[in-house]
Amino acid sequence: MKLCWLDIRNVGGAKEAIVEEALHQRVDAIVAADPADLESLPPTVKKVLFPQNGPLPEKLEPADLVIVEPGRHGDPAVLAEQFPDVEFGRFVEIVDAESLEEACHAARHEKWSVLYFRDPTKIPLEIVLAAAAGADGSIITEVADVEEAQIVFGVLEHGSDGVMLAPAAVGAATELKAAAVSMAANLSLVELEVTGIRRVGMGERACVDTCTNFGLDEGILVGSHSTGMILCCSETHPLPYMPTRPFRVNAGALHSYTLSANGRTNYLSELVSGGRVLAVDAKGNSRVVTVGRVKIETRPLLAIDAVSPSGVKVNLIVQDDWHVRVLGPGASVLNVTELVPGAKVLGYLPVEQRHVGYPIAEFCIEK
């Protein structure tokens, strides 16, 4: 979970509603320039005082953390000795090589570093994150909007520890919190037992080409029903007659479900360039990857029927070809045309039914 700080220093008349929404969404901190704006906040949120264009107030209470500009307010270490009951962090605006080095130093040594990058490139942030690798402090990056926050969360895969956003209107806290939640929760995979294999004629199947390479034990989860999916292997393993395409999963018939970000499902036919899909490995670790394209073509199809230890029936319809593969226990790679009843494959059993891809608790039968 990434940290979400909401900056209310320049919020106008909607301040009360914005703060109320932020508390409801359980943002991690409220940032204010006036200690009075922090007085009514509950202990569930960090109270951050960030004076703007002026000196520190004489009394810092009720702030839990004070962000200072050393050139204006003094060194955080010295201030910490003067105010032992308050944490201090350093603000750095990165505009050139000198300020970038200052940001790197702060990220390595300060408990809290709040950084503002004037230029739109993310290269300076990459440098700071690399310089701070292994450090104990937290890096909070100031962002202009939720879209930038999503980018900052993914820089160098690790991303900034958190972001600070000045909300333009009510609703920003909700959007920011959704962006900060890990989009790819790890999954509990189960071993499914194959109960039958049958040819079902011609139909359209979808190859999902992503903008990243899959690992040897990675693929995407696909199934005919929302209650059960099978882990389809990517084309990372050598095949006769054709080169490997480690960015691709020959996933299944176009009607099939697959998991996307935030626990949502999509039909394979709905995936488009720039969309998101969940890459999952044989241990259930998952990550969100970007779809480059989806290639739908008519091919002979094969239906795989399986059952979970708890009795949940799972179905997957894939292209009837030897080079289409699924993953089994221990990341074993299984050609679908060689599956037999009794074989074990890896799968996932979502607990909720789906309505337009979202989980919902309602009565639903899928056949």
Side-chain angles (χ1 to χ4, degrees), residues 98-356:
E98 183 179 353
S99 55
L100 176 59
E101 180 54 38
E102 182 185 354
C104 291
H105 183 274
R108 286 193 296 264
H109 299 287
E110 301 287 355
K111 186 173 182 179
W112 296 97
S113 303
V114 177
L115 308 179
Y116 171 65
F117 297 88
R118 181 182 296 178
D119 297 320
T121 173
K122 294 298 180 284
I123 298 299
L125 176 57
E126 292 181 7
I127 294 171
V128 173
L129 293 176
D136 295 329
S138 296
I139 299 171
I140 306 297
T141 302
E142 186 174 344
V143 296
D145 49 39
V146 174
E147 184 177 11
E148 185 181 6
Q150 291 176 316
I151 295 171
V152 166
F153 288 148
V155 170
L156 288 188
E157 294 188 7
H158 168 71
S160 183
D161 297 297
V163 299
M164 181 174 74
L165 172 69
V170 174
T174 301
E175 294 178 6
L176 180 62
K177 193 68 176 179
V181 174
S182 173
M183 298 175 70
N186 292 336
L187 306 175
S188 296
L189 301 183
V190 298
E191 291 187 14
L192 305 172
E193 181 177 341
V194 174
T195 57
I197 302 289
R198 50 201 166 93
R199 290 186 168 90
V200 292
M202 304 295 290
E204 282 72 56
R205 66 94 176 98
C207 282
V208 181
D209 292 347
T210 69
C211 297
T212 189
N213 283 332
F214 289 90
L216 293 175
D217 65 342
E218 273 188 314
I220 66 175
L221 289 160
V222 186
S224 296
H225 308 138
S226 63
T227 50
M229 302 176 187
I230 292 174
L231 186 53
C232 293
C233 185
S234 57
E235 294 187 8
T236 55
H237 301 269
L239 290 163
Y241 311 117
M242 58 187 299
T244 59
R245 294 181 173 89
F247 53 83
R248 170 177 294 177
V249 178
N250 192 321
L254 79 172
H255 75 282
S256 308
Y257 283 114
T258 189
L259 279 185
S260 303
N262 297 321
R264 187 179 178 183
T265 58
N266 284 101
Y267 296 119
L268 291 179
S269 62
E270 292 177 333
L271 298 179
V272 295
S273 298
R276 302 289 192 271
V277 70
L278 209 61
V280 183
D281 70 17
K283 295 181 180 178
N285 301 314
S286 64
R287 59 190 176 111
V288 177
V289 297
T290 301
V291 176
R293 66 175 176 183
V294 178
K295 191 169 68 162
I296 298 175
E297 298 165 310
T298 301
R299 294 290 187 269
L301 300 177
L302 185 74
I304 304 168
D305 297 309
V307 64
S308 73
S310 61
V312 176
K313 294 181 179 179
V314 178
N315 175 264
L316 169 65
I317 297 178
V318 294
Q319 181 179 343
D320 183 3
D321 196 284
W322 179 82
H323 76 274
V324 180
R325 294 160 161 179
V326 295
L327 287 166
S332 55
V333 179
L334 308 172
N335 303 321
V336 294
T337 53
E338 296 179 353
L339 290 175
V340 295
K344 297 295 180 67
V345 298
L346 291 176
Y348 175 64
L349 307 177
V351 295
E352 304 96 345
Q353 298 292 342
R354 302 280 159 166
H355 181 64
V356 292

